Amino acid sequence: MGEILDLVEARLRTALGEPDARADVTFLGTDRIEVLRFVDGDVVRYATLGMSAQPMADPTSPLADPVKGPRAELFLSVRMGLAATDEVLRPLAVLAASPQVEGLIVAPGASLDLGTPLWSGAPFSSVLVAEPGGLVEDLELDAPMDPVRFLPLLPMTHNEAAWKRVRGAQELQERWLSQGTDLRDPLRASVALD
């Protein structure tokens, strides 16, 4: 487990630079989850470290495979100085622990809802899990282990989350793109929806 996390942290450092802060959270019955903060100009990125230590298991399976199965870490990018976004550390750790706690498999297109704002005053309590491979490339592990995927999280307003449930992740992402939505704006309003 420690060796995998060392490789994951090395991949994050290669892609995002040196973290300027880190915090860790431990939930009863789970492994420790760390959240690293990386600053790049006016953008701050928060990345989890620890979710990939164990493969995610199908909640309907009677036995979890300790080696095979999807592995992932989460990251969120927002503009600095506009909101108290450092408060997102615990919510990100909660989302990263959800495969261990709730038996979820976190994959692109999924919605993750916290039920509370991501940070004080945030118009977002849920996120859309986006496709990996952009900012941080997948980390290949020795067979038979699956690679670690670095999944970007895109904050959604309540209206966007409801619209996504009906219309799907692809249509919401197309709407954001067509409207020129700045998904890194921690104070942004909901995109115009039909």
Side-chain angles (χ1 to χ4, degrees):
M1 177 176 97
E3 182 180 322
I4 291 172
L5 296 184
D6 289 344
L7 294 170
V8 168
E9 184 168 354
R11 175 59 52 94
L12 287 169
R13 288 172 183 265
T14 299
L16 305 176
E18 288 298 312
D20 75 336
R22 63 193 311 143
D24 62 78
V25 180
T26 304
F27 303 99
L28 187 63
T30 67
D31 297 324
R32 182 180 72 179
I33 302 288
E34 288 189 86
V35 180
L36 284 60
R37 186 177 83 164
F38 301 86
V39 175
D40 181 15
D42 70 337
V43 173
V44 61
R45 292 187 173 90
Y46 303 94
T48 64
L49 179 63
M51 181 179 171
S52 62
Q54 304 294 328
M56 293 180 271
D58 182 343
T60 62
S61 175
L63 293 173
D65 190 316
V67 177
K68 293 182 184 176
R71 294 175 189 262
E73 295 290 353
L74 309 174
F75 72 93
L76 173 72
S77 300
V78 291
R79 298 216 181 281
M80 285 182 65
L82 302 175
T85 57
D86 280 351
E87 294 177 7
V88 80
L89 299 177
R90 185 168 179 77
L92 273 181
V94 168
L95 295 177
S98 61
Q100 288 182 57
V101 174
E102 300 174 35
L104 295 177
I105 293 181
V106 178
S111 299
L112 303 175
D113 194 339
L114 288 158
T116 59
L118 293 176
W119 52 82
S120 298
F124 322 105
S125 63
S126 62
V127 293
L128 174 65
V129 181
E131 290 291 333
L135 192 59
V136 185
E137 292 182 18
D138 292 354
L139 173 65
E140 296 294 330
L141 300 175
D142 293 337
M145 292 186 284
D146 289 13
V148 176
R149 303 172 84 197
F150 297 88
L151 303 172
L153 301 180
L154 308 174
M156 294 187 292
T157 65
H158 295 295
N159 288 343
E160 291 168 343
W163 201 77
K164 183 259 176 193
R165 282 191 294 275
V166 174
R167 305 290 283 270
Q170 184 64 37
E171 285 202 34
L172 177 58
Q173 289 179 302
E174 288 172 7
R175 178 58 56 104
W176 281 335
L177 188 60
S178 70
Q179 300 289 321
T181 306
D182 180 2
L183 296 173
R184 294 179 179 171
D185 181 352
L187 303 174
R188 75 174 179 82
S190 184
V191 70
L193 303 168
D194 298 329

